[in-house]
Amino acid sequence: MRARRAAGRVFRSLAVPNYRFFFIGHAVSVVGTWMQRVAQDWLVLDLSDSAVALGIATALQFLPTLVFGLWGGVLVDRLDRRRTIMVTQAVSAVLAAVLAGAVLGGVVQLWMVYALALGLGLVTVVDVPARQAFVTEMVAPQDYVNAQSLNSTVHNAGRLVGPAIAGVLIAAVDVGLAFAINAVSFAAVLYGLARMDTSALHRVPRSTRASGKALQGMRYVWGHPELRACLLLVAVVALIGQNFRVVLPLLARDTLGGGPEVYGWLTSALGVGAVLGALASAGRRAVTSWSLLRWTWIFAGVNAVAAFAPGLAVALGMMVALGIANISFNTLARTMLQIGTQPEMQGRVIALHSLVFLGSTPIGGPLTGWLCEQWGAGAGFLLAGVSSAAAALAVTPMLRRSRSPKTDVQEV
């Protein structure tokens, strides 16, 4: 009976039909997305044999968020979020299909991968804040944390399954097949969105067209110390600590002496940990800035230990631990921003989160790639640990000077 009640608490958002449609569609699509990520990384490494090129490809995918991220949030606050997601997902499917055609046709070149990565990045500018903000239209406020955690669970279940499948396909068939499967998988999201009962959505007031809307989101976050501290932690962890797509291929090939299947195993192990962390987060009843700070320290410590993993078995274990720490940190950060933000400001605040979370990659990806070329994959993990610990130290006085910790707790 107790286990049944716990399961009901963890999966309670699935009782909402609209969210259930969204969840199932996302569950199918995210497997294809992770297949494409692994395939793209290995394709770049195969075409260039360069860690810096790997960092550049990752950077190009997130450069648009750095440049246009705030304005993406303005659009999300102004447009119908469900229809916006349908458009962004359809365009993503087309881009995946084009890349699949180039690879399977034997004409792919490195510049093509760069161009399509940049195109996907432009879609991401609007897609990410739209999908995250849309959660608040599907479920009630008391279920925001639960729905976000379930989103993280399915996203990281895809990280568990997708890379493993991609690794086998790349080694046994062709890297282009992974891109083709991803293109088809977007149909599940589009079908789920089309089946929704729009009258049951919790619509939020749309923002009016006016100048200064993007800066208004920045001023809003700056005026709230907990939100400001949250974004500072996210900025540092994302910039230096989460460049897994740069570090893991090098760990697989150069440190462990493996091929694409080893990269798939490492990414899947990261996904196992992320699923465990997301399910634990789904059962949370409260979110505080202090719990976010605690998970920052855990993330720093796990990275420091992972830097010295002596072999594949230990490396896989450390990836599981890193996945738990990473997803717990990310879920808490996103939830704090949603709960602590007025509904009409959510698109802009989440876009600001996307700017520092994804937009930092164009800087962090090449930097980490260069560092790993000089001193190996372990140097990337070590830098991630040291920088995250420094960020945690920096925001601690800020949180102590803010309001009483009791006011920082958000019951959910």
Side-chain angles (χ1 to χ4, degrees):
M1 182 65 71
R2 182 177 300 175
R4 188 178 302 165
R5 285 199 301 268
R9 185 171 69 249
V10 169
F11 297 103
R12 62 184 182 273
S13 292
L14 292 176
V16 180
N18 280 341
Y19 180 77
R20 191 162 60 245
F21 282 128
F22 180 83
F23 180 89
I24 294 172
H26 184 51
V28 174
S29 177
V30 77
V31 173
T33 298
W34 275 106
M35 289 178 65
Q36 170 152 328
R37 289 181 180 181
V38 169
Q40 178 181 305
D41 295 342
W42 201 259
L43 178 62
V44 170
L45 202 58
D46 187 50
L47 291 172
S48 67
D49 193 31
S50 168
V52 173
L54 194 62
I56 291 172
T58 304
L60 285 172
Q61 191 164 329
F62 300 110
L63 179 63
T65 298
L66 178 63
V67 179
F68 305 114
L70 288 177
W71 287 271
V74 172
L75 283 175
V76 168
D77 282 337
R78 188 181 299 164
L79 301 174
D80 181 287
R81 293 172 181 173
R82 172 177 159 274
R83 291 177 180 174
T84 299
I85 299 169
M86 294 180 77
V87 171
T88 58
Q89 294 290 290
V91 174
S92 297
V94 171
L95 291 172
V98 170
L99 187 53
V103 176
L104 294 173
V107 298
V108 68
Q109 297 181 35
L110 185 60
W111 71 265
M112 296 178 186
V113 183
Y114 284 166
L116 288 166
L118 182 62
L120 186 59
L122 289 169
V123 176
T124 300
V125 170
V126 177
D127 182 67
V128 170
R131 280 189 291 109
Q132 292 185 8
F134 189 49
V135 169
T136 63
E137 296 190 12
M138 291 184 286
V139 301
Q142 62 268 24
D143 290 329
Y144 287 175
V145 178
N146 179 254
Q148 284 288 3
S149 298
L150 289 178
N151 283 354
S152 296
T153 301
V154 75
H155 176 78
N156 288 287
R159 177 186 281 178
L160 167 62
V161 177
I165 297 174
V168 173
L169 286 177
I170 294 168
V173 188
D174 192 286
V175 67
L177 188 58
F179 300 124
I181 292 174
N182 182 45
V184 174
S185 71
F186 285 103
V189 179
L190 295 171
Y191 177 76
L193 290 166
R195 286 288 309 275
M196 285 185 178
D197 178 6
T198 56
S199 65
L201 295 174
H202 307 282
R203 300 292 192 181
V204 299
R206 294 191 193 176
S207 174
T208 57
R209 186 187 298 271
S211 61
K213 290 290 185 179
L215 292 178
Q216 189 178 10
M218 297 179 68
R219 288 194 294 266
Y220 183 87
V221 170
W222 189 259
H224 294 75
E226 294 83 8
L227 301 184
R228 190 166 72 241
C230 175
L231 279 180
L232 177 60
L233 289 174
V234 170
V236 174
V237 170
L239 175 66
I240 304 174
Q242 295 182 341
N243 294 300
F244 306 124
R245 293 176 63 184
V246 176
V247 179
L248 294 188
L250 300 172
L251 178 64
R253 190 188 69 173
D254 300 338
T255 304
L256 300 175
E261 70 284 356
V262 175
Y263 176 35
W265 296 340
L266 290 170
T267 308
S268 293
L270 197 68
V272 170
V275 169
L276 295 174
L279 286 173
S281 297
R284 277 186 175 272
R285 293 188 177 275
V287 176
T288 73
S289 56
W290 301 109
S291 59
L292 180 66
L293 188 65
R294 182 166 57 251
W295 277 107
T296 307
W297 278 110
I298 295 172
F299 179 79
V302 172
N303 268 286
V305 176
F308 303 99
L312 178 59
V314 176
L316 289 172
M318 294 313 303
M319 290 308 101
V320 173
L322 189 57
I324 293 173
N326 182 54
I327 201 61
S328 297
F329 172 85
N330 288 334
T331 301
L332 284 171
R334 282 196 301 268
T335 304
M336 278 187 62
L337 291 174
Q338 283 196 318
I339 291 177
T341 302
Q342 296 172 355
E344 62 272 16
M345 293 291 297
Q346 284 176 348
R348 277 160 285 180
V349 172
I350 293 173
L352 192 57
H353 170 270
S354 297
L355 188 151
V356 299
F357 183 72
L358 301 177
S360 59
T361 304
I363 303 170
L367 173 64
T368 302
W370 175 83
L371 186 76
C372 291
E373 272 198 349
Q374 303 303 311
W375 293 287
F381 287 120
L382 190 59
L383 179 64
V386 171
S387 60
S388 300
L393 282 173
V395 304
T396 299
M398 185 187 308
L399 293 175
R400 285 176 176 167
R401 289 195 302 268
S402 66
R403 296 174 299 177
S404 166
K406 291 182 179 180
T407 65
D408 184 48
V409 176
Q410 302 291 335
E411 294 295 338
V412 296

